[in-house]
Amino acid sequence: MIDINKAKQKILDLAIRGKLTKQLKSDGNVADLLVEIQKEKEKLIKQGKIRKDKKETYIYKNKKDNLYYEKFITTETDILNKNVVAKQSEPDEKCINDELPFEIPKNWVWCKIGNIGRWGSGATPLTSNPDYYNNGTIPWILTGDLNDDYISNASHYITEKALCDCSLELREKGSVLIAMYGATIGRLAILKIEAAMNQACCACTVYSGINNKYLFLYLLFNKKKFISEGSGGAQPNISKEKIIKTIIPLPTLAEQNRIVEKVDHLFDILDKIDEAQKKYQRDKEILKSKIIESGIRGKLTKQLKSDGNASDLLDEIRKEKEKLIKEGKIKRDKKETYIYKNPKDNLYYEKYQDGTEKCIQDELPFEIPKNWVWCRASQLLYLIAGTSYNKADIKSDGIRILRGGNIVANQLVLFEDDVFVSDSYQDEVKNVYKGDIILVASTGSKITIGKPARILVDYRKTQIGAFLRIARMYKNSISNYIWYIFNSSYYKNYILENVKGTNISNIKNEYIEDMLIPFPPFVEQEKIVKQIEELLDSLDS
């Protein structure tokens, strides 16, 4: 499988180094482009559309020492001198060779991002003033609208009054936006519409001779860098000043256009590969689900008389259960029932402890082989509640408390920032042992409710939190088969049907305990598990 994000980052890396396209003499020289940009800026300054930047600099390569220098622009004609060569390092310039991240082609230049476009941020009109929002027709972009792609529609609109009163600027089509802080920091977009924006968005309208998509791609390449630079405070934040001081490798416009075209072409190919991989993954997951489903229905293996009968295994499990009751480790289940098939009418019945019984044929989800039995989950396992603790008892070490986030891809994963509580919470019964299956019993997501994790080793001083449950088998040897029950679409559908709660999804113990389990003899369980694992391994490999 191709890592699409890594592949795209590699393409961007090659593109901005000039290694993705050919440099042609016919493209001319970037110095000419810089001259035109400077003229355009001077014109805008005279028109009062932008202010003169007293700290503006330009970068040049000194022919004598072959090093790059940054020089302050002291006159309007400084940058117009294409052949400027410093005789020595002057007070108004410094060598920045060590600051440059990589080599660029000979006919490229380094410059500050702030020099290639008109940058600015937006504002938020007073939300309590309806005149700023009611019947607004001007698109107003929030950072949540930024999608690392083109923006054709806005989620919010403001009025002409808001635009005038709040010093908001209507940005042209083609402007490049970047989110400066919050959860969306570093996110990008290119406007396909005229729009204003809030103060968390920084916008650049590029000067003539700059391909806006080239700037977009360079910002995209530096996204992780911006996020990293913005971290450390209460809220991630990159200022406009940081952005415009970023150095960018600049080729001629013709070369920019070729780079954009090449990157778009390669990204399009990668997007198609990504979709194909996702479809393959979806198909693979469907096939895995069908394999497990076939296994728990007895369709992957042959049923042999020599395998014995599941009812005998169920009797053994009852004995193990009675032993635990006598030892005081569990309480007797007053609601325990017994399911059998009546040979007279060939239907399944459930018999209760008071002697009453009822036909449950309509409750059974599918047919099972003759030497299998149906039983309730409570006949095979018992549930252990998680540990509730006081925040004051949280320590740097002690008893590890597992949470829903510790279940990753159906496996238990330990993290450095797991919660630990004092040793006073130690409870041997609540520790996590090999053969246990941990279930998410309460969560804000219906996708993760009931999510299982298979425990393959004993964990010392490790318990589960209050939102989880441990399903522990009365007979540990059946755990491998029961694991695939908890991974079947039958189980997942059963859980979703029984989820209770509004904001938080909860699955009560009784719903898990009452689940009907198709139960084969132990020998066949081993064969089923082996067959499922071999088939799943072959799919993954």
Side-chain angles (χ1 to χ4, degrees):
M1 300 283 279
I2 296 174
D3 187 323
I4 300 299
N5 289 331
K6 281 186 178 180
K8 285 187 174 182
Q9 192 69 8
K10 183 62 179 177
I11 288 169
L12 290 174
D13 181 59
L14 293 171
I16 64 171
R17 292 171 185 259
K19 295 182 177 181
L20 204 62
T21 51
K22 288 183 179 181
Q23 287 76 48
L24 305 176
K25 287 186 179 181
S26 58
D27 291 343
N29 197 293
V30 187
D32 298 324
L33 173 57
L34 293 178
V35 169
E36 293 304 315
I37 288 174
Q38 189 65 17
K39 288 179 179 177
E40 184 177 345
K41 287 167 70 175
E42 293 297 335
K43 185 178 178 182
L44 290 170
I45 291 168
K46 288 177 182 178
Q47 292 173 349
K49 293 183 178 180
I50 63 172
R51 292 180 180 179
K52 187 173 183 65
D53 183 3
K54 295 179 181 179
K55 295 182 179 180
E56 187 174 356
T57 64
Y58 70 95
I59 298 167
Y60 73 95
K61 195 171 190 179
N62 191 318
K63 294 179 180 179
K64 288 191 173 182
D65 56 16
N66 212 32
L67 299 178
Y68 282 94
Y69 288 80
E70 184 174 13
K71 182 177 173 66
F72 283 95
I73 298 176
T74 55
T75 69
E76 293 181 7
T77 58
D78 258 353
I79 203 164
L80 303 184
N81 181 5
K82 293 182 278 183
N83 300 312
V84 73
V85 178
K87 295 179 181 178
Q88 58 185 5
S89 183
E90 298 170 5
D92 63 343
E93 67 179 8
K94 66 173 182 176
C95 181
I96 61 165
N97 218 68
D98 292 340
E99 297 177 30
L100 304 178
F102 48 80
E103 290 281 335
I104 55 174
K106 289 181 180 180
N107 61 331
W108 290 31
V109 297
W110 286 103
C111 69
K112 296 291 181 72
I113 281 182
N115 290 348
I116 65 172
R118 184 164 51 85
W119 289 84
S121 54
T124 297
L126 191 66
T127 54
S128 59
N129 188 342
D131 292 340
Y132 290 160
Y133 295 95
N134 288 353
N135 301 314
T137 58
I138 299 169
W140 182 56
I141 305 299
L142 310 183
T143 54
D145 297 320
L146 274 54
N147 55 4
D148 288 343
D149 205 338
Y150 290 93
I151 290 180
S152 299
N153 297 290
S155 58
H156 295 76
Y157 291 82
I158 57 173
T159 61
E160 288 282 354
K161 183 175 177 58
L163 194 69
C164 297
D165 290 0
C166 304
S167 302
L168 279 162
E169 183 180 359
L170 196 62
R171 282 286 173 163
E172 297 95 320
K173 295 178 183 178
S175 295
V176 179
L177 310 185
I178 181 170
M180 293 189 291
Y181 54 83
T184 57
I185 184 171
R187 195 179 291 180
L188 302 164
I190 297 177
L191 289 178
K192 274 196 166 183
I193 52 174
E194 288 186 326
M197 68 215 69
N198 75 350
Q199 68 278 5
C201 285
C202 193
C204 177
T205 304
V206 296
Y207 296 128
S208 301
I210 302 296
N211 186 318
N212 63 341
K213 188 66 180 288
Y214 178 77
L215 171 62
F216 173 89
L217 294 176
Y218 188 68
L219 293 174
L220 186 63
F221 172 77
N222 281 283
K223 188 174 183 178
K224 286 185 179 179
K225 177 176 173 285
F226 286 133
I227 293 171
S228 175
E229 289 178 351
S231 62
Q235 179 176 237
N237 185 358
I238 47 170
S239 64
K240 184 188 88 171
E241 286 67 33
K242 281 184 181 179
I243 296 169
I244 63 176
K245 286 180 181 178
T246 302
I247 296 173
I248 183 172
L250 190 65
T252 62
L253 179 58
E255 178 73 356
Q256 291 175 44
N257 293 340
R258 286 198 299 274
I259 288 170
V260 168
E261 185 180 357
K262 187 73 172 180
V263 171
D264 283 347
H265 174 66
L266 293 175
F267 274 21
D268 184 54
I269 292 172
L270 285 175
D271 287 339
K272 289 175 181 176
I273 292 172
D274 188 37
E275 184 53 42
Q277 287 184 164
K278 286 176 180 176
K279 183 180 184 302
Y280 169 75
Q281 195 62 34
R282 290 192 298 269
D283 291 344
K284 189 168 78 168
E285 291 306 314
I286 291 170
L287 188 52
K288 282 184 176 182
S289 178
K290 287 182 177 180
I291 288 169
I292 294 171
E293 203 67 22
S294 295
I296 68 168
R297 292 176 183 233
K299 294 183 177 181
L300 287 183
T301 50
K302 288 184 178 181
Q303 286 74 47
L304 305 174
K305 286 185 179 181
S306 57
D307 291 344
N309 198 294
S311 57
D312 296 328
L313 177 57
L314 210 53
D315 287 338
E316 289 180 32
I317 292 170
R318 285 195 194 97
K319 291 176 184 177
E320 294 288 340
K321 187 175 180 179
E322 285 297 325
K323 185 180 176 183
L324 291 172
I325 292 170
K326 287 178 182 178
E327 292 172 352
K329 292 182 178 179
I330 63 169
K331 293 180 180 180
R332 186 176 296 281
D333 182 6
K334 295 179 181 180
K335 296 180 180 179
E336 187 172 344
T337 62
Y338 171 70
I339 297 171
Y340 71 96
K341 192 172 190 178
N342 192 323
K344 289 185 178 181
D345 55 14
N346 212 31
L347 300 177
Y348 280 94
Y349 288 80
E350 188 165 18
K351 192 168 185 176
Y352 299 89
Q353 290 185 13
D354 62 3
T356 61
E357 59 182 46
K358 70 170 183 176
C359 180
I360 61 165
Q361 188 69 34
D362 292 341
E363 295 180 37
L364 303 179
F366 47 81
E367 289 189 7
I368 55 174
K370 290 181 180 179
N371 59 335
W372 292 31
V373 294
W374 281 105
C375 61
R376 298 288 180 184
S378 59
Q379 294 175 258
L380 308 174
L381 57 86
Y382 58 103
L383 298 174
I384 300 170
T387 300
S388 296
Y389 54 88
N390 297 317
K391 287 186 177 180
D393 292 329
I394 294 177
K395 309 291 181 184
S396 59
D397 59 8
I399 307 297
R400 187 190 297 268
I401 303 296
L402 302 173
R403 295 164 290 176
N406 292 103
I407 300 178
V408 181
N410 290 348
Q411 294 184 3
L412 185 63
V413 179
L414 306 181
F415 299 105
E416 289 183 5
D417 62 346
D418 281 343
V419 171
F420 290 85
V421 295
S422 69
D423 288 336
S424 62
Y425 284 87
Q426 176 62 25
D427 185 335
E428 292 297 326
V429 174
K430 291 192 174 185
N431 278 350
V432 179
Y433 298 107
K434 180 180 180 180
D436 287 346
I437 297 171
I438 295 177
L439 305 172
V440 176
S442 184
T443 175
S445 168
K446 287 190 176 182
I447 296 173
T448 56
I449 187 70
K451 184 171 68 171
R454 188 181 197 177
I455 308 304
L456 301 174
V457 295
D458 292 340
Y459 285 89
R460 181 176 172 270
K461 296 175 69 174
T462 301
Q463 299 177 18
I464 58 169
F467 288 173
L468 304 180
R469 296 289 181 271
I470 293 175
R472 183 165 293 162
M473 311 304 127
Y474 291 121
K475 195 174 183 65
N476 201 49
S477 57
I478 69 170
S479 177
N480 288 335
Y481 172 76
I482 298 300
W483 166 248
Y484 285 110
I485 293 289
F486 284 120
N487 269 274
S488 66
S489 56
Y490 161 59
Y491 163 75
K492 292 170 186 174
N493 292 334
Y494 175 84
I495 292 297
L496 289 177
E497 287 172 4
N498 289 281
V499 165
K500 302 293 180 183
T502 52
N503 295 328
I504 296 179
S505 298
N506 298 288
I507 185 75
K508 292 182 179 179
N509 285 5
E510 62 189 77
Y511 296 142
I512 298 172
E513 292 167 342
D514 287 346
M515 186 173 68
L516 287 162
I517 304 289
F519 198 60
F522 181 69
V523 174
E524 187 164 357
Q525 286 183 32
E526 288 186 311
K527 288 190 287 187
I528 290 169
V529 168
K530 183 182 178 183
Q531 187 75 347
I532 288 175
E533 290 179 347
E534 285 178 354
L535 289 169
L536 296 186
D537 285 346
S538 67
L539 281 177
D540 286 333
S541 62

